[in-house]
């Protein structure tokens, strides 16, 4: 990993309430040099720009940390911060390689890492880091996203819309991908056909609006056939009212309560030892477009649950 790509973790700061006693803890109080849980940032929006989206995701990790810092923390909880990968100029591929290297070296030391993106180009780096750390394990991918992100590479190279296409190309025989919250109007027939050809499990936003349990069977089956689960949450899966600050705001979206329920089901499987949830990420936060920091607060809320449960 190129040393200049890794930015040291920032100092965590936030509110303190000593008058309420030693149990009045917030997340910023729980950051330690070493811990079982960790966060890492991918401060990049090159893929979003290449994909003609609204840029700003490079500021996502800082905004998510800021929103996370003041959330209440449980007793006897700790996490560490591995810092940020920051690309040099337009070199997305080097940044993804550096992020993969950071995660590959760190994953065996932590029982869960939550990556703070970044555009969804983060996913290629996250998956490669997990695969490199656990090369013999079966890895299932669960993506909460309005978009399949299965676009083929263009002359521009990888983008925020290509990560799962690129992952499939790495190991077609072991590609195991489920995408929940897909907006039919935001995915071309070509992408839908590619998903079908590659046996991608798909549940639309409309299906989840009609039935919050619509994805349960797909989630359970993905867990049953894999050793590790990689969970990636693209904040554009949520309604615009809940997530205005993303690269491509949703017209319809999946309610936060349903997203929470899906994450809770995954965490339940992990708690029962049915699958290891080693790596998660929260992506596509674009702070310049985030009215009232609503999206950052939503992403931080989800990150807190993934860190503490």
């Amino acid at each position: 990993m190129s040393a200049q790509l890794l930015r040291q973790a920032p100092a965590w700061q936030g509110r303190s309430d000593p008058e309420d006693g030693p149990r009045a803890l917030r997340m910023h109080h729980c950051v330690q040099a070493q811990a079982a849980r960790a966060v890492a940032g991918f401060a990049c929006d090159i893929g979003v720009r290449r994909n003609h989206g609204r840029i700003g995701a490079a500021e996502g990790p800082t905004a998510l940390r800021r929103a996370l810092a003041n959330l209440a923390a449980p007793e006897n909880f700790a996490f560490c911060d591995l810092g940020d990968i920051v690309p040099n100029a337009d070199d997305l591929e080097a940044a993804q390689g550096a992020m993969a290297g950071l995660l590959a070296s760190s994953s065996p030391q932590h029982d869960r890492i939550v990556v703070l993106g970044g555009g969804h180009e983060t996913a290629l780096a996250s998956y490669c880091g997990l695969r490199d750390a656990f090369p013999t394990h079966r890895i299932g991918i669960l993506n909460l996203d309005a978009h399949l992100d299965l676009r083929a590479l263009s002359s521009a190279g990888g983008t925020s819309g290509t990560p799962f296409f690129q992952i499939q190309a790495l190991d077609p025989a072991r590609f195991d991908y489920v995408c929940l919250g897909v907006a039919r109007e935001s995915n071309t027939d070509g992408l839908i056909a590619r998903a079908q050809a590659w046996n991608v499990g798909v549940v639309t936003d409309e299906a989840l609006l009609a039935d919050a349990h619509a994805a349960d069977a797909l989630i359970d089956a993905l867990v049953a056939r894999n050793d590790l689960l990689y969970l990636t949450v693209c904040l554009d899966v949520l309604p615009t009212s809940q997530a205005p600050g993303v690269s491509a705001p949703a017209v319809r979206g999946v309610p936060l309560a349903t997203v929470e329920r899906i994450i809770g089901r995954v965490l339940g499987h992990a708690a029962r030892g049915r699958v290891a949830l080693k790596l998660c990420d929260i992506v596509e936060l674009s702070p310049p477009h985030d009215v009232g920091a609503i999206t950052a607060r939503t992403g931080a809320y989800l990150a807190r649950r993934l860190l503490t449960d």
Side-chain angles (χ1 to χ4, degrees):
M1 177 174 59
S2 176
Q4 68 266 28
L5 294 177
L6 179 60
R7 181 171 65 195
Q8 185 176 2
W12 285 69
Q13 299 177 343
R15 175 173 173 163
S16 295
D17 303 296
E19 64 276 10
D20 290 328
R23 298 178 65 186
L25 296 175
R26 299 179 186 272
M27 293 294 283
H28 73 90
H29 293 120
C30 302
V31 182
Q32 299 184 3
Q34 295 183 346
R37 301 283 169 92
V39 299
F42 190 61
C44 177
D45 57 13
I46 298 169
V48 173
R49 176 161 44 82
R50 290 181 184 178
N51 202 29
H52 309 293
R54 302 194 301 177
I55 61 172
E59 301 174 34
T62 297
L64 285 166
R65 285 186 179 93
R66 186 182 302 119
L68 184 60
N70 276 332
L71 296 182
E75 277 191 287
N76 302 315
F77 169 72
F79 70 104
C80 62
D81 191 337
L82 304 177
D84 289 334
I85 294 297
V86 183
N88 286 326
D90 194 45
D91 198 344
L92 171 59
E93 291 71 24
Q96 288 170 319
M99 190 73 201
L102 175 63
L103 294 173
S105 62
S106 303
S107 291
Q109 305 167 36
H110 302 283
D111 62 27
R112 186 172 303 154
I113 298 175
V114 177
V115 176
L116 310 175
H120 219 162
E121 62 266 33
T122 306
L124 177 62
S126 292
Y127 177 84
C128 287
L130 188 62
R131 183 199 60 171
D132 292 349
F134 304 98
T136 63
H137 288 60
R138 294 169 299 174
I139 301 174
I141 304 167
L142 183 61
N143 181 23
L144 278 66
D145 199 335
H147 307 91
L148 290 164
D149 288 344
L150 285 171
R151 291 180 179 175
L153 296 179
S154 69
S155 58
T159 75
S160 60
T162 66
F164 303 107
F165 179 94
Q166 293 173 276
I167 291 170
Q168 195 274 347
L170 292 173
D171 194 354
R174 295 201 298 174
F175 183 63
D176 196 355
Y177 174 39
V178 169
C179 190
L180 308 180
V182 172
R184 184 64 185 84
E185 66 277 5
S186 299
N187 295 270
T188 65
D189 287 348
L191 293 177
I192 297 293
R194 182 170 293 146
Q196 291 171 343
W198 289 351
N199 295 314
V200 176
V202 174
V203 179
T204 66
D205 53 356
E206 291 176 299
L208 287 167
L209 279 166
D211 179 6
H213 296 266
D216 288 2
L218 275 179
I219 294 169
D220 296 350
L222 184 70
V223 165
R225 62 180 178 258
N226 286 288
D227 306 307
L228 303 177
L229 198 63
Y230 162 45
L231 172 65
T232 178
V233 180
C234 183
L235 292 168
D236 71 20
V237 75
L238 294 159
T240 300
S241 59
Q242 187 75 54
V246 293
S247 170
V251 173
R252 186 182 301 105
V254 177
L256 177 60
T258 302
V259 169
E260 286 185 84
R261 191 190 167 284
I262 290 168
I263 290 174
R265 192 172 189 88
V266 171
L267 289 168
H269 282 304
R272 295 177 183 89
R274 294 170 182 164
V275 74
L277 184 62
K278 295 285 293 182
L279 183 64
C280 315
D281 52 37
I282 308 289
V283 301
E284 294 283 346
L285 169 62
S286 183
H289 303 97
D290 194 12
V291 180
I294 294 170
T295 318
R297 291 164 60 193
T298 302
Y301 171 74
L302 296 175
R304 178 193 180 277
R305 182 162 187 194
L306 290 168
L307 284 166
T308 60
D309 278 17

